Amino acid sequence: MAGLSTSKEYENPFKRNWVSTGIWALVGVYLVYSFNAMGLTWDRFSQGLGHADKLLGRMFPPNFDRWELLLSGLAESLEIAVIASVSGIVLSLFFGLFAARNLMPNWVSVPMRGFIALCRTFHPVIIAILFVKSVGFGALAGILTLIVASIGFIAKLFAEAIEEISLKQVEAIRATGAGFVSVILFSVMPQVFSRFIGFSVYQLDSNLRNSTMVGIVGAGGLGGTLFSAFQRFDYDFVAAILITIIALIMLGEFLSNIVRNIFR
Amino acid sequence: MNTMNHQWQRFTLKQKLSRYAVYLVLIMAMVQSIQSVEVIPEFFFDAPEQMADMFSRMWPIDFAYYPVTVHDAMIETLNIATLGTLVTLIFALPLALMNASNIVASPWVHWIARFFLVSSRSVNSLVWALLFVSIFGPGVIAGVLAIAFRSVGFVGKLLGEAIEEVNMGPIEALRATGASWMSVLLKGYWPQILPAFFSIVLFRWDINVRESAVLGLVGAGGIGVVLSDSMNLFEWQRVAVALLSIFAVVIVAEIIVVNIRKRLI
């Protein structure tokens, strides 16, 4: 029965991976440390769960009585999202071009890349706070915030997309004696435009989400309505606003899928 | 002869029309929004001056304030981000398994999983934080849960996609040996999604570090509390310290994550 004899030369294919075991052990140690460091106890958690019960009880049924307020906040959120997305997309088109290292000299691309990185680093809420302090409460601060956020996302990815293009077509167009603008329009843009649309649609979606949030720090839109409802403990109105936001975002995802299919 | 005169076109008529329709809708929405949005033009033209004024108040930066409060708050922020990312996994792993069509075949389960994933992503982390602050009171626990609930959608969706992309060969081999359901998961699927798993979790951690820095604005702990306190007191030089330390931590976190991910993939 030679075929069935088990030789000890085979190593166990399912042997323990010490690296990943170590990582999990570290995670365990970290858990114990952080629970101690932050003073999290089960008591506090279970106490909170009682409150959660009460809160949910007060949130239902959602109260749509003040739908006019809701609608005006929603309209402002939409306006912020649209204006910020369109301006952000147009600006990113240029900023992305200027930040591409294979088209631009270093003295243009390096400062531009730095600027884009700066736009990306801070969370939109922090940028919103700074804008609220400098241009006052209202939709303008929200618009400026989301423009900055859009530049940080679209321009960065667009610049990277341009850096990956094939230079053969650029050379071919140049060889015909085309000027700089023609080179960009007829050799660079056809290669990257569909990806640019993809980034833009994604950012439109994410601007829609963020436009309902910047209001929390006073930058206009539905977030402001939500925050004041929270502060007045109108939890049934809060529930109504949250349902509206989720519906809006699902609608946004549906629409952006359609746009993506059109531009595929 | 027809082929000689044929004019080549990149897009069909329908494609062109639908594209123009999208542009048209976008321009109409833009015009409509600009007309109805309430923006005071004076504020807009005044903005550069006001910005310059704000930044001039931030100078000189009050670095002496860093060891007093900012450092502890920064550690707390990092803890919120890390713990939130770990708590996410408790919810995200089952939802990812439910969302992967090669593990669960029932469309009903997919819909349930997708519902949770989408609602987690639709509600912003600040809104989650507001909810949890009103449940658990101001503090770290609200922050951790806000980060965790917000991240479920992201981690669950990407993890589910990673599970769907595994090579089914080893899984069939394991099933053929009579391995139990759990063993197939642990020894068949898990090793294959391991690199994707760590890269998704690290990526989310990087995002969470940014997000946890602002949660304090609604009272959920971390550096945001320091930021909003100093801002309410108009201590702009302290605001500058807080902003600078957030900037530094975010950059360092991104560098760490990029380097680890490079080795993983």
Side-chain angles (χ1 to χ4, degrees):
Chain A
M1 288 305 211
L4 282 179
S5 70
T6 53
S7 90
K8 280 170 190 158
E9 283 162 32
Y10 292 115
E11 58 176 338
N12 181 0
F14 299 124
K15 70 173 187 237
R16 189 170 277 270
N17 181 350
W18 287 107
V19 178
S20 75
T21 314
I23 291 176
W24 290 117
L26 275 180
V27 168
V29 170
Y30 173 77
L31 278 180
V32 175
Y33 153 76
S34 63
F35 271 78
N36 280 328
M38 298 199 284
L40 299 176
T41 56
W42 181 251
D43 253 14
R44 184 143 154 61
F45 189 70
S46 59
Q47 220 179 7
L49 287 183
H51 291 300
D53 196 29
K54 230 187 288 174
L55 182 79
L56 285 179
R58 287 177 59 182
M59 278 173 88
F60 286 94
N63 177 0
F64 282 98
D65 283 351
R66 273 177 288 165
W67 57 272
E68 284 167 329
L69 194 62
L70 189 67
L71 220 58
S72 73
L74 188 67
E76 198 176 31
S77 274
L78 277 175
E79 287 158 9
I80 292 175
V82 168
I83 297 178
S85 304
V86 174
S87 341
I89 288 169
V90 173
L91 285 175
S92 311
L93 191 62
F94 293 103
F95 287 2
L97 272 175
F98 286 131
R101 275 176 292 197
N102 52 353
L103 295 180
M104 290 290 161
N106 269 345
W107 61 269
V108 180
S109 71
V110 170
M112 207 35 131
R113 295 173 75 82
F115 173 70
I116 292 170
L118 197 66
C119 288
R120 252 165 54 78
T121 316
F122 284 112
H123 193 274
V125 172
I126 293 180
I127 298 172
I129 295 170
L130 295 180
F131 276 126
V132 167
K133 295 283 173 186
S134 58
V135 302
F137 290 99
L140 180 60
I143 293 172
L144 293 175
T145 304
L146 294 184
I147 289 178
V148 169
S150 310
I151 290 173
F153 181 82
I154 307 178
K156 175 183 186 269
L157 292 180
F158 187 47
E160 280 171 8
I162 293 177
E163 282 168 9
E164 285 166 14
I165 62 169
S166 141
L167 282 172
K168 286 178 187 165
Q169 298 169 40
V170 179
E171 265 172 47
I173 299 282
R174 254 190 209 140
T176 65
F180 179 74
V181 176
S182 306
V183 169
I184 298 287
L185 277 181
F186 296 107
S187 68
V188 178
M189 287 312 274
Q191 293 188 54
V192 289
F193 194 63
S194 64
R195 291 189 69 191
F196 178 70
I197 293 287
F199 305 143
S200 306
V201 171
Y202 181 88
Q203 186 61 32
L204 187 67
D205 212 29
S206 119
N207 279 348
L208 204 60
R209 282 156 210 255
N210 285 340
S211 69
T212 60
M213 173 268 301
V214 288
I216 290 176
V217 292
L222 203 51
T225 322
L226 181 71
F227 193 50
S228 53
F230 254 111
Q231 285 186 321
R232 278 179 286 153
F233 306 108
D234 280 342
Y235 289 124
D236 46 358
F237 191 41
V238 166
I241 298 174
L242 286 181
I243 290 172
T244 313
I245 291 179
I246 293 178
L248 174 74
I249 285 163
M250 284 186 170
L251 184 72
E253 261 181 31
F254 176 69
L255 289 178
S256 58
N257 270 338
I258 292 180
V259 173
R260 240 175 241 140
N261 280 334
I262 288 176
F263 282 94
R264 180 155 293 161
Chain B
M1 289 303 108
N2 201 14
T3 44
M4 289 293 279
N5 298 328
H6 185 81
Q7 193 161 15
W8 291 98
Q9 289 197 318
R10 197 161 165 221
F11 302 113
T12 62
L13 186 66
K14 193 184 157 206
Q15 273 177 327
K16 269 190 198 163
L17 282 180
S18 46
R19 278 168 192 232
Y20 285 130
V22 172
Y23 294 139
L24 191 67
V25 168
L26 205 61
I27 290 170
M28 270 162 52
M30 179 73 176
V31 171
Q32 172 66 30
S33 307
I34 287 182
Q35 278 175 351
S36 54
V37 79
E38 286 167 29
V39 167
I40 303 166
E42 284 80 13
F43 279 15
F44 184 69
F45 296 118
D46 203 24
E49 209 175 302
Q50 296 289 337
M51 288 285 258
D53 179 57
M54 185 178 69
F55 284 115
S56 73
R57 279 162 205 260
M58 285 185 178
W59 196 262
I61 299 170
D62 185 6
F63 282 112
Y65 192 57
Y66 180 80
V68 186
T69 6
V70 177
H71 182 75
D72 289 343
M74 209 68 232
I75 299 286
E76 197 173 80
T77 296
L78 285 176
N79 276 333
I80 291 175
T82 317
L83 202 57
T85 313
L86 291 176
V87 173
T88 298
L89 296 179
I90 303 172
F91 303 105
L93 282 173
L95 284 174
L97 290 176
M98 280 162 73
N99 201 18
S101 54
N102 51 352
I103 292 198
V104 182
S106 141
W108 283 104
V109 178
H110 287 287
W111 276 109
I112 294 170
R114 208 156 289 166
F115 172 76
F116 281 111
L117 295 180
V118 169
S119 29
S120 149
R121 275 184 296 146
S122 309
V123 179
N124 197 277
S125 55
L126 267 187
V127 179
W128 278 120
L130 276 172
L131 270 178
F132 285 115
V133 165
S134 54
I135 293 175
F136 293 100
V140 182
I141 196 164
V144 171
L145 286 177
I147 290 287
F149 273 70
R150 166 74 178 173
S151 313
V152 166
F154 181 93
V155 177
K157 179 172 186 260
L158 291 183
L159 215 54
E161 281 166 8
I163 294 173
E164 279 180 346
E165 279 167 15
V166 299
N167 177 4
M168 292 305 275
I171 298 199
E172 272 170 37
L174 273 173
R175 284 218 183 103
T177 65
S180 70
W181 186 74
M182 203 62 199
S183 309
V184 173
L185 272 189
L186 277 181
K187 300 295 181 190
Y189 285 99
W190 178 242
Q192 291 196 51
I193 62 164
L194 200 64
F197 172 81
F198 278 116
S199 116
I200 291 166
V201 169
L202 280 171
F203 187 32
R204 189 64 217 184
W205 179 76
D206 184 25
I207 298 173
N208 284 346
V209 170
R210 281 161 213 249
E211 299 228 314
S212 59
V214 298
L215 290 182
L217 293 169
V218 294
I223 187 84
V225 178
V226 177
L227 193 65
S228 86
D229 283 353
S230 4
M231 202 126 45
N232 290 337
L233 297 171
F234 300 107
E235 298 268 16
W236 288 101
Q237 297 166 350
R238 293 181 179 178
V239 171
V241 180
L243 288 181
L244 212 61
S245 49
I246 292 176
F247 185 75
V249 167
V250 166
I251 298 269
V252 170
E254 187 165 336
I255 290 172
I256 293 174
V257 167
V258 165
N259 278 325
I260 299 181
R261 274 167 59 114
K262 248 184 219 159
R263 286 189 191 178
L264 276 176
I265 303 168

